[in-house]
Amino acid sequence: MPPALVEPDARLLAACLGPVRLPSGELTQRDVERLWISDRKALINCGKRHAALRDFYHERDADLRNIEKRKGWAGE
């Protein structure tokens, strides 16, 4: 019987937030900074999730390769 594939946590698969929508009209310095901070936070969170997803697959696949080596992968 082949090893079972474990699925990643659904939170790691969530789409990243797009950039904030700019309101029409003039923006104050405060508005620009607030919107920029929101974008930066979203980008950082997205990067962390993607890194965690990459690590999940790397670790899972390494574990599967080790199982295959130990069993000789003949379906034993």
Side-chain angles (χ1 to χ4, degrees), residues 45-65:
N45 288 334
C46 182
K48 287 179 180 179
R49 277 201 328 272
H50 281 219
L53 184 61
R54 178 205 59 214
D55 293 346
F56 168 84
Y57 282 117
H58 179 76
E59 291 171 16
R60 184 194 71 177
D61 292 352
D63 289 343
L64 289 173
R65 282 190 293 275

Side-chain angles (χ1 to χ4, degrees), residues 11-68:
R11 290 174 291 185
L12 298 179
L13 301 172
C16 293
L17 297 176
V20 295
R21 295 187 66 80
L22 297 176
S24 59
E26 285 189 38
L27 298 174
T28 65
Q29 181 68 30
R30 182 179 180 189
D31 293 333
V32 170
E33 290 173 6
R34 181 179 49 81
L35 295 169
W36 179 80
I37 288 170
S38 295
D39 275 344
R40 294 298 301 168
K41 285 180 182 178
L43 181 61
I44 290 167
N45 288 334
C46 182
K48 287 179 180 179
R49 277 201 328 272
H50 281 219
L53 184 61
R54 178 205 59 214
D55 293 346
F56 168 84
Y57 282 117
H58 179 76
E59 291 171 16
R60 184 194 71 177
D61 292 352
D63 289 343
L64 289 173
R65 282 190 293 275
N66 288 334
I67 289 170
E68 290 172 4

